[in-house]
Amino acid sequence: MAKLTVLTLMGLGLALFRDHRSSYEERLNAFREVKPVELPNCNLVKGIEAGSEDLEILPNGLAFISSGLKYPGIKSFEPDKPGKILLMNLNEEDPAVLELKITGSKSDLSSFNPHGISTFTDEDNAVYLLVVNHPDFKSTVEVFKFQEEEKSLLHLKTIRHKLLPSPSTLTHLWITYPWIL
């Protein structure tokens, strides 16, 4: 009798789980077909034809864009060129992108492979850009100071450590607690 009760309860549990799972998939539209939509105000931005991975917008309308990520399994549109950080002023009528020159770097910029980015503005309104970089498919965080007049990035330091398996976590941590660096 105990075996029959256990089997009955297991059967009921599996039936409820199956119904709950299919209901969950239905509510989330897990199997719906996504139809392309033509957006009326979308335009190709010249200078980002190779795509971008991340973007960070400052309150003043300046946008930093990481471009050129090369990673296994991801198609690269410019496999022979290093990655770059682009700048765009979203307040302009017809915004254009500008590649930011990187100064002060002792590392090999030919292996610059930017992934995620985050910004931090200190009390003096200096803007710092943290870039998750994957040179030679390793992971580092590059810390830059944005020099608005020169439209360039001054490289301050490279952060790498075996205990940082996910560097993008560090960039978010630094935004919350900037004194840790």
Side-chain angles (χ1 to χ4, degrees):
M1 182 68 175
K3 286 183 184 180
L4 182 60
T5 304
V6 169
L7 286 174
T8 302
L9 289 174
M10 282 180 52
L12 285 171
L14 286 173
L16 287 173
F17 175 74
R18 184 186 60 91
D19 287 342
H20 174 72
R21 185 172 157 228
S22 67
S23 170
Y24 181 70
E25 290 169 346
E26 188 176 310
R27 284 187 305 219
L28 292 178
N29 294 320
F31 299 108
R32 71 182 165 111
E33 181 179 335
V34 178
K35 294 179 175 48
V37 176
E38 289 292 326
L39 299 174
N41 296 324
C42 286
N43 300 312
L44 175 69
V45 178
K46 293 189 186 319
I48 315 180
E49 292 88 355
S52 67
E53 203 294 319
D54 200 1
L55 112 122
E56 184 82 9
I57 303 172
L58 297 177
N60 65 2
L62 292 178
F64 295 99
I65 303 165
S66 67
S67 181
L69 176 66
K70 291 162 207 54
Y71 218 67
I74 297 175
K75 179 178 174 38
S76 176
F77 293 101
E78 295 179 326
D80 300 329
K81 292 184 178 179
K84 50 194 168 196
I85 302 295
L86 307 170
L87 181 71
M88 177 186 276
N89 187 344
L90 300 176
N91 295 320
E92 294 177 356
E93 185 70 31
D94 187 22
V97 295
L98 169 74
E99 182 177 346
L100 293 174
K101 181 180 176 188
I102 297 174
T103 60
S105 178
K106 296 177 182 82
S107 61
D108 179 20
L109 291 178
S110 68
S111 66
F112 188 56
N113 192 11
H115 193 170
I117 57 177
S118 291
T119 58
F120 172 75
T121 305
D122 69 9
E123 62 275 353
D124 297 328
N125 288 327
V127 176
Y128 296 89
L129 184 70
L130 284 83
V131 179
V132 176
N133 185 25
H134 300 290
D136 304 317
F137 304 112
K138 296 179 177 82
S139 292
T140 64
V141 176
E142 308 296 336
V143 181
F144 298 97
K145 182 176 183 181
F146 175 53
Q147 299 177 309
E148 191 167 357
E149 296 296 319
E150 297 87 12
K151 300 287 190 249
S152 66
L153 295 172
L154 174 63
H155 185 259
L156 300 177
K157 68 163 70 172
T158 298
I159 302 168
R160 66 172 64 88
H161 196 279
K162 64 181 179 183
L163 296 176
L164 287 174
S166 176
S168 62
T169 303
L170 176 66
T171 62
H172 297 296
L173 187 63
W174 190 55
I175 298 308
T176 308
Y177 309 105
W179 58 88
I180 66 170
L181 300 177

